[in-house]
């Protein structure tokens, strides 16, 4: 962020003219104390009126501002919570500003990713695994899914996946020792373990933590790559800004 200022020149207008004090002299002789006032100047010759200044490029030209760069501060996403910033001076500029800049920055990330298509999702039904074809839409940081595309406009989603809690570093093809189905993606989420957690393809217990897996199979390699690109973009934004800064607006 750059900080500018406008230099102020020293005022050279005489005190009498600035405050409209009439100048005069006492006329001597014959006991008269009348004042001799200076002739009233024409308005066009008044020193209080700023003379018209025309740009060399013409009256329609945009003139450069009279602001001077006094310094700048640098901040990154990792330092967004700071309230004090060092003011970096400009070389060769005698700046009246020095020290630190105190400010509070409030930031919210609005993820603009929007993508939809069919995905076949692995679901655990009464301990038995089954694949169900769903119409999915990734909007902002949530994947909502329905049975059919027309349901999106007239029905609530039958389920959703919020990517804010996803611990997958980079979305890609699921390992073959976990799922050998072609064009399958895997998303993993960590949560505290519960007593009723049962080990399965979707649920993996790791001490006091349970990993929940979502297996999503695309119809083709091209669609798989498109889903990977949009999911990785969303996850990269969430990790860079932090999930607490995300807004759903």
């Amino acid at each position: 962020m750059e900080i500018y200022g406008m230099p102020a020149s020293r005022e050279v207008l005489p005190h009498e003219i600035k405050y409209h004090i009439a100048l005069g002299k006492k006329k001597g002789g014959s006991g008269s104390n009348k004042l001799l006032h200076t002739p009233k100047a024409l308005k066009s010759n008044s020193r209080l009126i700023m003379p018209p200044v025309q740009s060399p490029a013409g009256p329609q030209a945009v003139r450069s501002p009279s602001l001077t760069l006094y310094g700048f501060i640098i901040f990154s996403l990792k330092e967004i919570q700071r309230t004090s910033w060092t003011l970096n001076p400009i070389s060769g500029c005698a700046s009246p500003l020095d020290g630190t800049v105190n400010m509070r920055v409030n930031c919210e990330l609005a993820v603009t990713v929007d993508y939809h298509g069919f995905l076949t999702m692995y679901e655990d039904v009464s301990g038995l695994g089954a694949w169900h074809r769903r119409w999915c839409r990734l909007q902002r940081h949530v994947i909502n899914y329905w049975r059919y595309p027309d349901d999106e406009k007239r029905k609530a989603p039958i389920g959703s996946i919020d990517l804010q809690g996803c611990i997958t570093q980079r979305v890609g093809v699921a390992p073959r020792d976990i799922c050998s189905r072609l064009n399958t993606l895997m998303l993993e989420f960590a949560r505290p373990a519960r007593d009723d957690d049962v080990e399965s393809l979707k649920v993996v217990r790791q001490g006091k933590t349970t990993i929940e897996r979502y297996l999503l199979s695309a119809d083709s390699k091209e669609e798989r790559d498109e889903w990977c690109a949009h999911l990785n973009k969303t996850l990269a934004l969430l990790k860079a800004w932090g999930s607490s800064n995300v807004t759903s607006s």
Side-chain angles (χ1 to χ4, degrees):
M1 184 175 70
E2 297 177 337
I3 299 177
Y4 291 82
M6 180 175 290
S9 58
R10 187 177 183 86
E11 192 175 79
V12 296
L13 198 64
H15 178 79
E16 292 80 3
I17 295 178
K18 178 179 179 181
Y19 294 102
H20 303 273
I21 299 176
L23 299 178
K25 296 181 180 179
K26 289 185 178 181
K27 184 178 180 181
S30 66
S32 175
N33 291 328
K34 292 183 179 180
L35 295 177
L36 294 178
H37 296 281
T38 56
K40 189 174 182 180
L42 296 177
K43 183 177 291 187
S44 59
N45 297 328
S46 174
R47 296 174 63 184
L48 297 176
I49 300 178
M50 181 178 294
V53 179
Q54 184 171 329
S55 172
Q60 303 300 325
V62 178
R63 300 182 61 191
S64 300
S66 300
L67 298 175
T68 300
L69 179 61
Y70 283 151
F72 62 93
I73 60 176
I74 301 175
F75 59 88
S76 62
L77 293 179
K78 296 180 180 179
E79 301 172 331
I80 207 68
Q81 302 300 328
R82 288 177 53 185
T83 57
S84 180
W85 314 83
T86 301
L87 179 63
N88 298 287
I90 301 299
S91 178
C93 175
S95 172
L97 304 178
D98 189 18
T100 59
V101 176
N102 296 318
M103 65 178 180
R104 181 171 296 175
V105 181
N106 294 322
C107 296
E108 290 184 347
L109 170 64
V111 181
T112 57
V113 176
D114 195 339
Y115 186 70
H116 57 263
F118 278 108
L119 288 173
T120 303
M121 307 179 67
Y122 179 84
E123 297 177 350
D124 194 337
V125 181
S126 301
L128 299 176
W131 292 88
H132 296 108
R133 186 173 171 83
R134 305 298 188 203
W135 174 257
C136 302
R137 182 173 186 179
L138 170 61
Q139 192 171 30
R140 293 184 284 271
H141 55 88
V142 177
I143 303 175
N144 292 313
Y145 51 92
W146 298 261
R147 287 186 174 86
Y148 308 105
D150 292 342
D151 293 346
E152 180 182 352
K153 298 180 180 179
R154 54 190 180 89
K155 292 183 179 180
I158 60 177
S160 62
I161 304 173
D162 192 339
L163 297 177
Q164 291 189 77
C166 184
I167 62 173
T168 303
Q169 295 298 317
R170 184 168 182 81
V171 181
V173 179
R176 293 188 64 85
D177 59 336
I178 296 177
C179 180
S180 59
R181 187 184 179 104
L182 290 177
N183 304 317
T184 299
L185 316 175
M186 184 174 69
L187 301 174
E188 291 187 319
F189 297 78
R191 61 168 174 79
R194 297 193 295 259
D195 294 337
D196 58 348
D197 287 338
V198 178
E199 287 273 352
S200 66
L201 186 60
K202 281 181 60 68
V203 178
V204 179
R205 295 200 60 167
Q206 296 180 354
K208 297 182 179 180
T209 303
T210 294
I211 305 298
E212 289 190 358
R213 293 171 176 164
Y214 288 88
L215 298 173
L216 313 172
S217 179
D219 291 345
S220 64
K221 179 180 180 298
E222 291 73 22
E223 292 186 16
R224 180 200 71 192
D225 293 341
E226 284 291 329
W227 277 105
C228 284
H230 287 85
L231 289 169
N232 284 321
K233 178 181 178 181
T234 302
L235 292 176
L237 290 171
L238 292 174
K239 291 172 183 176
W241 285 81
S243 59
S244 60
N245 293 319
V246 177
T247 176
S248 58
S249 59

